[in-house]
Coordinates of all heavy atoms in Angstrom, one line a residue:
Chain L
K12 N 12.9 54.0 -82.4 CA 13.8 52.9 -82.1 C 14.3 53.0 -80.7 O 14.9 54.0 -80.3 CB 14.9 53.0 -83.1 CG 16.1 51.9 -82.8 CD 15.7 50.5 -83.2 CE 16.7 49.5 -82.7 NZ 16.3 48.1 -83.2
T53 N 17.6 51.5 -94.3 CA 18.3 50.7 -95.2 C 18.3 49.2 -94.9 O 19.1 48.3 -95.3 CB 19.8 51.1 -95.4 OG1 20.4 51.0 -94.0 CG2 20.0 52.5 -95.8
T54 N 17.4 48.8 -94.0 CA 17.1 47.4 -93.6 C 18.1 46.7 -92.7 O 18.1 45.5 -92.6 CB 16.9 46.5 -94.9 OG1 18.2 46.2 -95.4 CG2 16.0 47.1 -96.0
L55 N 19.1 47.5 -92.2 CA 20.1 46.9 -91.3 C 19.5 46.5 -90.0 O 19.8 45.5 -89.3 CB 21.3 47.8 -91.2 CG 22.4 47.5 -92.1 CD1 23.7 48.4 -91.7 CD2 22.9 46.1 -92.1
I56 N 18.7 47.4 -89.4 CA 18.1 47.1 -88.1 C 16.6 47.4 -88.2 O 16.1 48.1 -89.1 CB 18.6 48.0 -87.0 CG1 18.5 49.5 -87.1 CG2 20.1 47.6 -86.8 CD1 19.0 50.3 -86.0
N57 N 15.8 46.8 -87.3 CA 14.4 47.0 -87.3 C 14.0 48.1 -86.3 O 14.7 48.3 -85.3 CB 13.7 45.7 -86.8 CG 13.4 44.7 -87.9 OD1 13.3 45.1 -89.1 ND2 13.2 43.5 -87.5
V70 N 10.1 48.6 -95.4 CA 11.5 48.2 -95.0 C 11.4 47.0 -94.1 O 12.5 46.2 -94.1 CB 12.4 49.3 -94.4 CG1 12.6 50.4 -95.4 CG2 11.7 49.8 -93.1
I71 N 10.4 46.8 -93.4 CA 10.4 45.6 -92.5 C 9.8 44.4 -93.2 O 10.4 43.3 -93.0 CB 9.6 45.9 -91.2 CG1 10.3 47.0 -90.4 CG2 9.3 44.7 -90.4 CD1 9.5 47.7 -89.4
P74 N 12.4 43.6 -97.1 CA 13.8 44.2 -97.2 C 14.6 43.8 -98.4 O 15.3 44.7 -98.9 CB 14.4 43.6 -95.9 CG 13.6 42.3 -95.6 CD 12.2 42.7 -96.0
R78 N 16.6 46.6 -100.8 CA 18.0 46.5 -101.0 C 18.4 46.7 -102.5 O 19.5 47.1 -102.8 CB 18.6 45.2 -100.5 CG 18.7 45.2 -99.0 CD 19.2 43.8 -98.5 NE 18.8 43.8 -97.1 CZ 18.2 42.7 -96.5 NH1 18.0 41.6 -97.2 NH2 18.0 42.6 -95.3
R79 N 17.5 46.2 -103.4 CA 17.8 46.3 -104.8 C 17.9 47.7 -105.3 O 18.6 48.1 -106.2 CB 16.8 45.6 -105.7 CG 16.5 44.2 -105.3 CD 16.2 43.3 -106.6 NE 16.4 42.0 -106.2 CZ 17.6 41.4 -106.3 NH1 18.6 42.1 -106.9 NH2 17.8 40.2 -105.9
V83 N 24.0 52.5 -100.3 CA 24.2 53.0 -98.9 C 25.6 53.1 -98.7 O 26.4 52.2 -98.9 CB 23.6 51.9 -97.9 CG1 23.6 52.5 -96.5 CG2 22.2 51.5 -98.3
L85 N 27.4 53.8 -95.2 CA 27.3 54.0 -93.8 C 28.3 54.9 -93.3 O 29.4 55.2 -94.0 CB 27.4 52.6 -93.1 CG 26.3 51.6 -93.4 CD1 26.6 50.3 -92.7 CD2 25.0 52.2 -93.0
T88 N 33.1 53.4 -93.2 CA 33.2 52.7 -94.5 C 33.3 51.2 -94.3 O 34.1 50.7 -93.5 CB 34.3 53.2 -95.3 OG1 35.5 53.1 -94.6 CG2 34.2 54.7 -95.7
G89 N 32.6 50.4 -95.2 CA 32.8 49.0 -95.1 C 33.5 48.4 -96.2 O 32.9 48.2 -97.3
V90 N 34.8 48.2 -96.1 CA 35.6 47.7 -97.2 C 36.5 46.7 -96.8 O 36.9 46.6 -95.5 CB 36.5 48.8 -97.8 CG1 35.6 49.8 -98.6 CG2 37.3 49.6 -96.8
D91 N 36.9 45.7 -97.7 CA 37.8 44.6 -97.4 C 39.2 45.1 -97.7 O 39.5 45.3 -98.8 CB 37.5 43.4 -98.1 CG 38.4 42.3 -97.9 OD1 39.5 42.6 -97.3 OD2 38.1 41.1 -98.1
P92 N 40.0 45.4 -96.6 CA 41.4 46.0 -97.0 C 42.3 45.2 -97.8 O 43.2 45.8 -98.3 CB 41.9 46.3 -95.5 CG 41.2 45.3 -94.7 CD 39.8 45.1 -95.2
D93 N 42.0 43.9 -97.9 CA 42.9 43.1 -98.7 C 42.6 43.0 -100.2 O 43.4 42.5 -100.9 CB 42.9 41.7 -98.1 CG 43.5 41.6 -96.7 OD1 44.6 42.2 -96.6 OD2 42.9 40.9 -95.9
L94 N 41.5 43.6 -100.6 CA 41.2 43.6 -102.0 C 41.6 44.9 -102.6 O 41.9 45.9 -101.9 CB 39.6 43.5 -102.2 CG 39.0 42.1 -101.8 CD1 37.6 42.2 -102.1 CD2 39.7 40.9 -102.5
E98 N 38.8 45.3 -107.6 CA 38.3 44.0 -107.2 C 37.0 44.2 -106.4 O 36.0 43.5 -106.6 CB 39.3 43.2 -106.4 CG 40.4 42.6 -107.3 CD 41.5 42.0 -106.4 OE1 41.6 42.4 -105.3 OE2 42.3 41.2 -106.9
L99 N 37.1 45.1 -105.5 CA 35.9 45.3 -104.6 C 34.7 45.8 -105.4 O 33.5 45.3 -105.2 CB 36.2 46.3 -103.5 CG 35.2 46.3 -102.4 CD1 34.9 44.9 -101.8 CD2 35.6 47.2 -101.2
L102 N 33.3 42.9 -107.4 CA 32.6 42.0 -106.6 C 31.2 42.5 -106.3 O 30.2 41.7 -106.4 CB 33.4 41.7 -105.3 CG 32.7 40.9 -104.2 CD1 32.4 39.5 -104.7 CD2 33.5 41.0 -102.9
Q103 N 31.1 43.8 -105.9 CA 29.8 44.3 -105.6 C 28.9 44.2 -106.8 O 27.8 43.9 -106.7 CB 30.0 45.8 -105.2 CG 28.8 46.6 -104.9 CD 28.4 46.6 -103.4 OE1 29.1 45.9 -102.6 NE2 27.4 47.3 -103.0
N105 N 29.1 42.0 -109.2 CA 28.7 40.6 -109.4 C 27.6 40.2 -108.4 O 26.7 39.5 -108.8 CB 29.9 39.7 -109.2 CG 30.9 39.7 -110.3 OD1 30.4 39.8 -111.5 ND2 32.2 39.6 -110.1
I106 N 27.7 40.7 -107.2 CA 26.6 40.4 -106.3 C 25.3 40.9 -106.7 O 24.2 40.3 -106.5 CB 27.1 40.9 -104.8 CG1 28.1 40.0 -104.3 CG2 25.9 40.9 -103.9 CD1 28.7 40.5 -103.0
F107 N 25.3 42.1 -107.3 CA 24.1 42.7 -107.8 C 23.6 42.0 -109.2 O 22.7 42.5 -109.8 CB 24.2 44.2 -108.0 CG 23.8 44.9 -106.8 CD1 24.8 45.4 -105.9 CD2 22.4 45.1 -106.4 CE1 24.5 46.2 -104.7 CE2 22.1 45.8 -105.2 CZ 23.1 46.3 -104.4
G108 N 24.3 41.0 -109.6 CA 23.9 40.2 -110.8 C 24.4 40.6 -112.1 O 24.0 40.2 -113.1
R134 N 45.9 47.9 -103.0 CA 45.0 47.3 -102.0 C 44.4 48.5 -101.2 O 45.0 49.4 -100.9 CB 45.8 46.4 -101.0 CG 46.1 45.2 -101.7 CD 46.5 44.1 -100.7 NE 47.3 43.0 -101.3 CZ 48.0 42.1 -100.7 NH1 47.9 42.1 -99.4 NH2 48.6 41.2 -101.4
D147 N 33.9 54.1 -101.3 CA 32.6 53.7 -100.7 C 31.5 54.3 -101.6 O 30.5 53.7 -101.8 CB 32.6 54.4 -99.2 CG 31.9 53.4 -98.3 OD1 32.1 52.2 -98.3 OD2 31.2 53.9 -97.5
L150 N 31.0 52.3 -104.6 CA 30.3 51.1 -104.3 C 28.8 51.2 -104.2 O 28.1 50.4 -104.7 CB 30.9 50.5 -103.0 CG 32.3 49.8 -103.1 CD1 32.8 49.6 -101.7 CD2 32.3 48.6 -103.9
Chain O
M1 N 18.0 40.7 -112.6 CA 19.0 41.1 -111.6 C 18.8 40.1 -110.4 O 17.8 39.6 -110.1 CB 18.5 42.5 -111.0 CG 19.7 43.2 -110.4 SD 19.5 45.0 -110.5 CE 18.4 45.4 -109.2
G2 N 20.0 39.8 -109.8 CA 20.0 39.0 -108.6 C 20.6 37.6 -109.0 O 20.5 37.2 -110.1
N3 N 21.2 37.0 -108.0 CA 21.9 35.7 -108.2 C 21.2 34.6 -107.3 O 20.4 34.9 -106.4 CB 23.3 35.8 -107.7 CG 24.1 36.8 -108.4 OD1 23.9 37.0 -109.7 ND2 24.9 37.6 -107.7
K7 N 25.5 31.1 -106.6 CA 26.4 32.1 -107.2 C 26.9 33.0 -106.1 O 28.1 33.3 -106.2 CB 25.5 32.9 -108.2 CG 26.2 34.0 -109.0 CD 27.0 33.5 -110.1 CE 27.9 34.6 -110.7 NZ 27.2 35.7 -111.4
D8 N 26.1 33.4 -105.2 CA 26.5 34.3 -104.2 C 27.6 33.6 -103.3 O 28.6 34.3 -103.0 CB 25.4 34.7 -103.3 CG 24.4 35.8 -103.9 OD1 25.0 36.4 -104.8 OD2 23.3 35.9 -103.5
L11 N 30.8 33.6 -105.2 CA 31.5 34.8 -105.2 C 32.2 35.2 -103.9 O 33.3 35.7 -103.9 CB 30.5 35.9 -105.6 CG 29.9 36.0 -107.0 CD1 28.7 36.9 -107.0 CD2 31.0 36.4 -108.0
I12 N 31.5 35.0 -102.8 CA 31.9 35.3 -101.5 C 33.1 34.5 -101.0 O 34.0 34.8 -100.4 CB 30.8 35.5 -100.5 CG1 29.9 36.7 -101.0 CG2 31.3 35.7 -99.1 CD1 28.6 36.8 -100.3
R15 N 36.3 35.3 -102.8 CA 36.9 36.6 -102.2 C 37.6 36.2 -100.9 O 38.6 36.7 -100.6 CB 35.9 37.6 -102.1 CG 36.1 38.7 -101.3 CD 35.3 38.7 -100.1 NE 36.0 39.3 -98.9 CZ 35.6 38.9 -97.7 NH1 34.7 38.1 -97.5 NH2 36.3 39.5 -96.7
K18 N 40.9 34.6 -101.7 CA 41.8 35.7 -102.1 C 42.5 36.4 -100.9 O 43.7 36.5 -100.8 CB 41.1 36.6 -103.0 CG 41.8 37.2 -104.2 CD 41.1 38.2 -105.0 CE 40.5 37.6 -106.2 NZ 39.6 38.6 -106.9
T19 N 41.6 36.7 -100.0 CA 42.2 37.5 -98.8 C 43.0 36.6 -97.9 O 44.0 37.1 -97.3 CB 41.0 38.2 -98.0 OG1 40.2 37.1 -97.5 CG2 40.3 39.1 -98.7
T20 N 42.8 35.3 -97.9 CA 43.6 34.4 -97.1 C 45.0 34.4 -97.8 O 46.0 34.4 -97.0 CB 42.9 33.0 -97.0 OG1 41.7 33.1 -96.5 CG2 43.8 32.1 -96.1
R22 N 46.4 36.4 -99.5 CA 47.1 37.7 -99.4 C 47.6 38.0 -98.0 O 48.4 39.0 -97.8 CB 46.2 38.9 -99.9 CG 46.1 38.8 -101.4 CD 45.2 39.9 -101.9 NE 45.0 39.7 -103.4 CZ 44.2 40.4 -104.2 NH1 43.7 41.4 -103.6 NH2 44.1 40.1 -105.4
N23 N 47.3 37.2 -97.0 CA 47.8 37.3 -95.7 C 48.5 36.0 -95.3 O 47.9 35.3 -94.5 CB 46.6 37.5 -94.7 CG 46.1 38.9 -94.8 OD1 46.8 39.9 -94.5 ND2 44.9 39.0 -95.4
K85 N 37.0 39.4 -89.1 CA 37.6 40.5 -89.8 C 36.6 41.2 -90.6 O 36.6 42.5 -90.6 CB 38.7 39.9 -90.8 CG 39.9 40.8 -91.0 CD 40.8 40.3 -92.0 CE 40.5 40.8 -93.3 NZ 40.9 40.0 -94.4
D86 N 35.7 40.5 -91.3 CA 34.7 41.2 -92.0 C 33.8 42.1 -91.1 O 33.3 43.2 -91.5 CB 33.8 40.1 -92.7 CG 34.4 39.6 -94.0 OD1 35.5 40.1 -94.3 OD2 33.9 38.6 -94.5
N89 N 35.8 45.3 -89.9 CA 36.1 46.4 -90.8 C 34.8 46.8 -91.5 O 34.9 47.6 -92.5 CB 37.2 46.1 -91.8 CG 36.9 44.8 -92.6 OD1 35.8 44.6 -93.0 ND2 38.0 44.1 -92.9
G90 N 33.6 46.3 -91.2 CA 32.4 46.8 -91.7 C 32.0 46.2 -92.9 O 30.9 46.5 -93.5
F91 N 32.8 45.3 -93.5 CA 32.5 44.7 -94.8 C 31.3 43.8 -94.7 O 30.5 43.7 -95.6 CB 33.7 43.9 -95.3 CG 33.5 43.5 -96.8 CD1 33.4 44.4 -97.8 CD2 33.6 42.2 -97.1 CE1 33.2 44.0 -99.1 CE2 33.4 41.8 -98.4 CZ 33.2 42.7 -99.4
S93 N 28.6 44.4 -92.9 CA 27.5 45.2 -93.0 C 27.2 45.6 -94.4 O 26.1 45.7 -94.9 CB 27.6 46.5 -92.2 OG 27.6 46.2 -90.8
R94 N 28.3 45.9 -95.2 CA 28.2 46.3 -96.5 C 27.5 45.1 -97.3 O 26.6 45.3 -98.1 CB 29.5 46.6 -97.2 CG 29.4 46.6 -98.7 CD 30.4 47.3 -99.5 NE 30.5 48.7 -99.2 CZ 29.7 49.6 -99.4 NH1 28.6 49.3 -100.1 NH2 29.9 50.9 -99.1
L95 N 27.9 43.9 -97.0 CA 27.3 42.7 -97.7 C 25.9 42.5 -97.4 O 25.0 42.3 -98.1 CB 28.0 41.4 -97.4 CG 29.4 41.3 -98.0 CD1 30.2 40.0 -97.5 CD2 29.4 41.2 -99.5
L96 N 25.6 42.8 -96.0 CA 24.2 42.7 -95.6 C 23.3 43.7 -96.3 O 22.1 43.5 -96.4 CB 24.0 42.9 -94.1 CG 24.6 41.8 -93.2 CD1 24.4 42.2 -91.7 CD2 23.9 40.5 -93.4
L97 N 23.8 44.8 -96.7 CA 23.1 45.9 -97.4 C 22.8 45.6 -98.9 O 22.0 46.2 -99.6 CB 23.8 47.2 -97.3 CG 23.9 47.9 -96.0 CD1 24.9 49.0 -96.0 CD2 22.5 48.4 -95.7
T98 N 23.4 44.5 -99.4 CA 23.2 44.1 -100.8 C 22.2 43.0 -100.8 O 21.9 42.4 -99.8 CB 24.5 43.6 -101.4 OG1 24.8 42.3 -100.8 CG2 25.7 44.5 -101.3
P99 N 21.6 42.6 -102.0 CA 20.6 41.5 -102.0 C 21.3 40.2 -101.8 O 20.6 39.2 -102.0 CB 20.0 41.7 -103.4 CG 20.5 42.9 -104.0 CD 21.8 43.4 -103.3
A100 N 22.6 40.1 -101.6 CA 23.3 38.8 -101.4 C 22.6 37.9 -100.4 O 22.1 38.4 -99.4 CB 24.7 39.0 -101.0
R102 N 21.9 35.8 -97.4 CA 22.4 35.9 -96.0 C 23.2 34.6 -95.7 O 24.3 34.7 -95.0 CB 21.3 36.0 -95.0 CG 20.2 36.9 -95.2 CD 20.6 38.4 -95.1 NE 20.9 39.0 -96.4 CZ 21.1 40.3 -96.5 NH1 21.1 41.0 -95.5 NH2 21.4 40.8 -97.8
V256 N 22.8 38.1 -88.6 CA 22.2 38.7 -89.8 C 20.9 39.2 -89.5 O 20.3 39.9 -90.4 CB 22.2 37.7 -91.0 CG1 23.6 37.3 -91.3 CG2 21.3 36.6 -90.8
S257 N 20.3 39.0 -88.3 CA 18.9 39.5 -88.1 C 19.0 40.9 -87.8 O 20.1 41.5 -87.6 CB 18.3 38.7 -86.9 OG 18.7 39.3 -85.8
R258 N 17.8 41.5 -87.7 CA 17.8 43.0 -87.6 C 17.3 43.5 -86.2 O 17.0 44.7 -86.1 CB 17.0 43.6 -88.7 CG 17.4 43.1 -90.0 CD 16.6 43.7 -91.1 NE 15.3 43.2 -91.4 CZ 14.3 43.8 -91.9 NH1 14.5 45.1 -92.2 NH2 13.2 43.2 -92.1
G259 N 17.3 42.6 -85.2 CA 16.8 42.8 -83.9 C 17.1 44.2 -83.5 O 16.5 45.1 -83.0

Side-chain angles (χ1 to χ4, degrees):
Chain L
K12 173 74 185 180
T53 59
T54 77
L55 265 187
I56 60 175
N57 272 339
V70 294
I71 291 163
R78 284 178 201 130
R79 305 213 158 273
V83 189
L85 296 178
T88 56
V90 290
D91 180 340
D93 293 316
L94 297 181
E98 285 170 339
L99 190 54
L102 173 65
Q103 178 94 355
N105 285 324
I106 286 174
F107 271 101
R134 289 201 200 167
D147 217 41
L150 288 169
Chain O
M1 205 154 82
N3 300 319
K7 176 84 188 293
D8 283 341
L11 289 169
I12 294 169
R15 168 245 147 204
K18 218 181 256 176
T19 58
T20 306
R22 287 182 187 178
N23 286 293
K85 210 183 96 205
D86 283 350
N89 61 34
F91 191 60
S93 294
R94 163 159 303 289
L95 288 175
L96 288 180
L97 287 166
T98 69
R102 313 286 102 172
V256 302
S257 87
R258 308 184 279 156

